[in-house]
Amino acid sequence: MSFVEYSDCIQAGDVAIIYQSHDSMMPVKVQQGAQTQTRYGVIRHSSDLIGQRYGSKVTCSKGGWVYVLHPTPELWTITLPHRTQILYTTDISMVTMMLELKPGSIVCESGTGSGSLSHAILRTIAPTGHLHTVEFHQQRAEKAVEEFKEHRVDHLVTVRNQDVCKEGFGVTGVADAVFLDIPSPWEAVRHAKAAMKRHGGRLCSFSPCIEQVQRTCEALTDEGFEEISTLEVLLRVHDVRTVSLPLPDFGSDPSAQPQPDSAEKPTPPQTSTTLKTTTPPREVPGHTGYLTFATKPRT
Amino acid sequence: MADNGDEDSAYRIKQGDYVVLKRGDIFKAAQIQPKKKVIFEKQWFFLDNAVGQLFSTTFEIVSGVLHVRKPKDAESSIDAKEVGTDNRNIVDDGKSQKLTRDDIEALKEQGLDGQEIIQQLIENSSTFRDKTGYAQDKYIKKKKKKYENTVTILKPSCRILAMMYHGREPGKICHLRYDTLAQMLTLANVHAGSKVLVFETCAGLVLGAVMERMGGFGSVIQMYPGGEPLRPGVESFGFPSHFHDMLHDFPICRVNALLAGTLKTTAKDPSADSKPSDMPAEEMIQPEGEQQGSPEEQGTDTNSPTDGADEQEKEEQDKRREAKAHERKVKLEEKRKKLAAVAPLLEGRDADGLVIASRFHPCPVLMNLLKFLSPSRPFVVYSQYKEPLIECYTKLKEQGGAINMMITDTWLRQYQVLPNRTHPVLLMSGGGGYLLSGTTVTTDRSKPAGSQQAVEPAPKRQKLTDTEG
C-alpha cells in the first residue's frame, strides 16, 4: 500500500482504515503481533489483517465484524489525528481542480498543519510532481515528515520548518501552484509569487474571515495577480429515508358508493402512504472558509 | 529563474494547437488553423497571428486581425477627477448621454479602440461627474465589457473547459457544474497509475478530466453506449499523443456477454488476424455486433439488383458495394481487435475506480459496472436528479458489496471582493447535480465471509446495518 498506489493485499507496515460504520472509522498501522480494539472486539493483525485482501470483512473477537479498507487521502482526511483545524474533501476537491493540479505539478503549500490537504496534493501530482510544504511549528513539521514516510510518499515531498511570511517557501521560480492556509496570507503573497514559475501559475488562499480575504485580494492585486476570484463551496448531505405520511380520515363519503349492495364490506380506508426520500442532517457545517484563487501572469 | 528563450517554446502557441479563447468570464474552445475564421462574442477574427505568441497573451482585435495588446493599455485606467457623494440630484431624463447610437457607430468606424470610445462616452455624459466614485467605476466596467475588443488565448485545462461547458452548453454535459466535477475526481481517487472505468455522456469532458488527472499513467476504459465512443470534448484538452495510449473503450452493449463469459467469438481473434479479408470473419461478428444496423442495410442491398438496372450501373453498384463491404469489414476487424485488447483489462475485475455521469438511468449502469471493480475501491455516480440516486442507494444497500455510501451535492457561491464593496455575487447557480459515492467491499458470497455470517448472532448484525445508514 501507498497513498499514491493501490495494492490488493494488506502487508505489515501498511496503514489500513478500519471501517466500523459510516461515522466510525480509524486508521491502524499494521504490525506483526499487534492488536487493535474495536467496538466489536479485538483484531489480531497477524491473523486477521496481514495477507488479507483490502475490502474484506474481518470478524472481531466478539463476533461482530468490520471492513478493512485501503487508505486514500479522502479516508485519511476523516480519520487522521488532528493537530490543527483541517481542510475537508469538499474544499480540497475545489482547490485541486482550480489550481490545475495533475501528475507532474510542482506545488508549494503552507502551513502543513495536519497534512490533510498535503496527502490529496501528493496523490494528484504523483509520480512526477513534488510538494514543498512549509510549517513554522516544529513539532507539527516533524510529525508530518514522519507520516509522509509511513505513508510511503516521502520521495514526493519536502517539509521545511520555517516561517513562510518571513522566509518564503525555500524555493524560487519552480512552482506551478501555491496554496496558503495561514492566518495572514497577505504577508506571504510576495513569497508565493517568487516561488512560482516565470511563465506563471495559480494561487489559492483559504481564509475563514472576510477581512482576511479583503487584505489578501489587495495584496494579490498589488503583486500583479490576475483573474482574482473568491468563492465558497459547501457540502450538502442527503440522508436516505423511508418516510410514512399518515392520511387523515374524512369520514365516509356517501357519494362514493353508487352501488349500495356491494358495500357490504367496505375496504378499510388507507391510513398512510410510504415513500423513499432524503432529509438533510439536523445540523450541517455552514462555513469552512473562503477560497480565493488567482493567476500569476508571466513575468 | 532558470527559464530561457528555449524553455519558452513549450509555452508558445503552435499551429494546430487546441486553445481556449477568453473574454471576461466567457470561454470558447478553438483550434489554431491557418486562415480559419472564428466567431466569438459577436466578433469575428483569424487566429493566425496568435501562432508563436505565448499562452495567456491578450490580443486586441482590429478588423479581424489579432494584435498583441500593449501592456500599457492594460493598465491605463480612465481617471475621473470629480466625484459626487450621492445621487440626490441625478435625474433619469434619458438625456445624460449626448452621443447618439449613430455617433458611436461612427466612432467605431473611424477605428477608435475601446478605450477611446469609453473616454468619449464619459466626456459626453452630463451625469458622470456627479456619480460617486463607486458608480463611476461600475459605469466604466460596464462600458469596457461592451466596447473593449480583446481576447485572451489560454492553454486548455480541466478547470477552464469545465467552466466553459457549464457556461455555454450545460445541456451537453447533463448540467454537471464544475465544482461537482471536482468532487467526482476526488471522491473517485483518480490518480496516476490506476485503472479507471468511465461511463459518460458529457461530450468527453468527464473522460478528459479523468485523463488529465492520470497524466498518461495507468489506463482509462471508456464504457460507451451506441456504436462509437463520442468524445469531442477530449480533443479540446489538447493532450499529447501518448495520453491516448492509455485510453481504451468498450461498448456497453457487450457488458452482459463479458460478464457471462460469452464474449469469446470476438476474443479469439488471432486466427482472423491473419486473413482479414475472409468472409467468415464478418459472419462471425455479425450476430453479436451489428444487430441494430444490419437488417436495414441488408434490405437495401437485396433490393437493388432486382430493380433491373442496366448492366453498367449494376457493375458499378457492385463495385461500390464491394468497396463498402470491404471498408466495413476492415472497420469491423479493427473494432474486434480493439475489443479483444480491452476485454482482458476488464475480465480481471480489478479496476481501481468507477466514474459515471450520463443521461441514462444510473442504476443499471452502476449495478453492472461495479462488478468490474476490485474490493476497497471508490466509485462515484453523477445524476442531474436526486431520485435515481436514491434508487441506486437503496438497491446497493439491499445487495451489499458497497459501504460508506453518501448522496451529496455542493453549493457554490461566488463573491465580489472590492474595497468597501464586498458581497456575494448576486446571481448563483441553482444546482450542479447530485453525486452518489461509496467504496466497494467483498460480497458475502465470496469465500470465508459467508460461513462467518451464518455463525454470527443475529442481533449484532442488525445493529451494524442500522448504524451504517
Side-chain angles (χ1 to χ4, degrees), chain A residues 7 11 23 37 59 66 77 119-120 199 220 250 268:
Chain A
S7 49
Q11 290 177 317
D23 37 34
Q37 283 296 337
T59 308
V66 297
T77 288
H119 279 81
H199 90 269
L220 287 169
F250 294 103

Side-chain angles (χ1 to χ4, degrees), chain B residues 138-392:
Chain B
K138 205 166 166 181
Y139 182 86
I140 292 169
K141 221 175 241 174
K142 221 163 131 188
K143 296 300 172 196
K144 259 192 178 164
K145 211 171 167 185
K146 193 164 174 194
Y147 293 104
E148 258 196 353
N149 41 0
T150 59
V151 61
T152 306
I153 300 188
L154 301 172
K155 208 175 173 66
S157 70
C158 173
R159 167 181 74 101
I160 292 166
L161 293 172
M163 290 174 83
M164 177 191 87
Y165 268 106
H166 184 254
R168 287 182 85 84
E169 304 172 298
K172 280 198 178 160
I173 55 166
C174 308
H175 292 81
L176 169 67
R177 205 173 51 206
Y178 46 96
D179 54 314
T180 313
L181 177 60
Q183 304 300 320
M184 292 174 73
L185 296 168
T186 319
L187 291 172
N189 192 20
V190 175
H191 65 278
S194 45
K195 185 198 285 187
V196 181
L197 301 191
V198 178
F199 179 76
E200 67 129 282
T201 58
C202 295
L205 173 69
V206 175
L207 183 65
V210 169
M211 287 170 71
E212 183 183 282
R213 284 292 176 88
M214 296 185 58
F217 303 97
S219 46
V220 182
I221 305 159
Q222 181 187 13
M223 314 294 287
Y224 63 91
E228 292 288 329
L230 290 175
R231 44 199 184 206
V234 175
E235 280 208 335
S236 306
F237 280 82
F239 291 129
S241 58
H242 75 268
F243 271 49
H244 290 273
D245 298 343
M246 70 166 178
L247 177 58
H248 309 274
D249 47 66
F250 187 87
I252 198 113
C253 62
R254 301 294 192 91
V255 161
N256 275 335
L258 185 69
L259 286 169
T262 54
L263 197 72
K264 289 198 182 77
T265 34
T266 49
K268 62 169 179 199
D269 114 332
S271 58
D273 222 339
S274 52
K275 32 185 176 172
S277 58
D278 254 10
M279 211 47 204
E282 196 188 358
E283 279 172 5
M284 215 157 60
I285 198 155
Q286 201 86 25
E288 264 200 78
E290 296 296 294
Q291 261 168 350
Q292 307 105 312
S294 56
E296 228 178 283
E297 272 175 56
Q298 277 168 357
T300 52
D301 278 1
T302 46
N303 275 348
S304 45
T306 57
D307 279 348
D310 57 312
E311 288 289 304
Q312 206 181 347
E313 207 175 297
K314 201 174 159 191
E315 220 170 89
E316 259 178 40
Q317 227 168 28
D318 278 353
K319 256 188 208 164
R320 247 182 286 148
R321 228 173 60 195
E322 236 171 82
K324 224 177 165 183
H326 182 73
E327 208 175 280
R328 226 177 68 202
K329 232 182 291 172
V330 171
K331 260 194 190 158
L332 279 175
E333 189 56 35
E334 270 174 19
K335 224 173 174 180
R336 207 174 48 170
K337 269 192 207 163
K338 259 166 77 176
L339 205 62
V342 68
L345 283 174
L346 293 166
E347 273 164 345
R349 302 196 182 193
D350 59 353
D352 297 317
L354 171 63
V355 178
I356 299 171
S358 81
R359 60 188 155 78
F360 292 93
H361 196 304
C363 200
V365 182
L366 177 65
M367 299 320 263
N368 271 307
L369 297 189
L370 216 50
K371 295 169 185 162
F372 294 108
L373 254 60
S374 278
S376 194
R377 298 295 188 271
F379 61 88
V380 58
V381 189
Y382 168 82
S383 172
Q384 194 184 337
Y385 314 102
K386 192 168 63 176
E387 288 71 15
L389 295 182
I390 298 178
E391 200 181 319
C392 290

Side-chain angles (χ1 to χ4, degrees), chain A residues 202-251:
Chain A
R202 295 275 295 166
L203 175 140
C204 175
S205 170
F206 175 92
S207 297
C209 304
I210 200 71
E211 290 82 1
Q212 293 169 303
V213 173
Q214 195 87 47
R215 294 186 71 171
T216 307
C217 286
E218 274 168 42
L220 287 169
T221 311
D222 292 346
E223 288 289 341
F225 279 82
E226 293 173 355
E227 279 191 285
I228 300 169
S229 107
T230 299
L231 53 87
E232 188 183 16
V233 60
L234 274 180
L235 186 73
R236 298 201 298 183
V237 177
H238 306 265
D239 288 332
V240 178
R241 290 271 181 275
T242 306
V243 297
S244 169
L245 302 176
L247 297 169
D249 179 9
F250 294 103

Side-chain angles (χ1 to χ4, degrees), chain A residues 6 22 40 55 57 59 63 65 70 74 90 93 100 123 198-199 214 230 232 234 236 238 278 298, chain B residues 3 8 11 157 159 183 186 189 376 386 404 407-409 411 413 415 418 422 442 444 452 456 464:
Chain A
Y6 281 118
H22 185 74
Y40 305 112
K57 200 181 250 187
T59 308
W65 75 61
H70 196 287
E74 288 60 53
T90 313
S93 307
E100 304 188 340
R123 174 265 316 276
R198 195 168 81 96
H199 90 269
Q214 195 87 47
T230 299
E232 188 183 16
L234 274 180
R236 298 201 298 183
H238 306 265
T278 65
R298 185 193 146 89
Chain B
D3 277 356
D8 267 353
Y11 307 117
S157 70
R159 167 181 74 101
Q183 304 300 320
T186 319
N189 192 20
S376 194
K386 192 168 63 176
N404 216 5
I407 296 178
T408 57
D409 74 329
W411 185 87
R413 179 160 227 166
Y415 287 83
L418 287 170
T422 296
T442 52
D444 284 348
Q452 282 169 359
E456 256 164 49
L464 185 65

Side-chain angles (χ1 to χ4, degrees), chain B residues 122-133:
Chain B
I122 290 170
E123 279 165 20
N124 289 286
S125 164
S126 57
T127 49
F128 187 80
R129 252 160 267 255
D130 300 328
K131 287 178 193 274
T132 64

Side-chain angles (χ1 to χ4, degrees), chain B residues 80-99:
Chain B
K81 293 116 205 160
E82 289 173 67
V83 297
T85 49
D86 57 45
N87 60 9
R88 74 182 75 189
N89 295 318
I90 295 179
V91 184
D92 183 11
D93 55 2
K95 291 180 207 152
S96 55
Q97 182 52 254
K98 305 262 160 42
L99 292 178

Side-chain angles (χ1 to χ4, degrees), chain A residues 163-196:
Chain A
D163 184 349
V164 73
C165 295
K166 298 204 170 69
E167 297 152 279
F169 288 94
V171 287
T172 47
V174 301
D176 296 292
V178 173
F179 178 82
L180 296 171
D181 178 9
I182 52 174
S184 53
W186 56 91
E187 290 176 27
V189 166
R190 80 193 155 86
H191 296 296
K193 192 181 176 187
M196 290 165 104

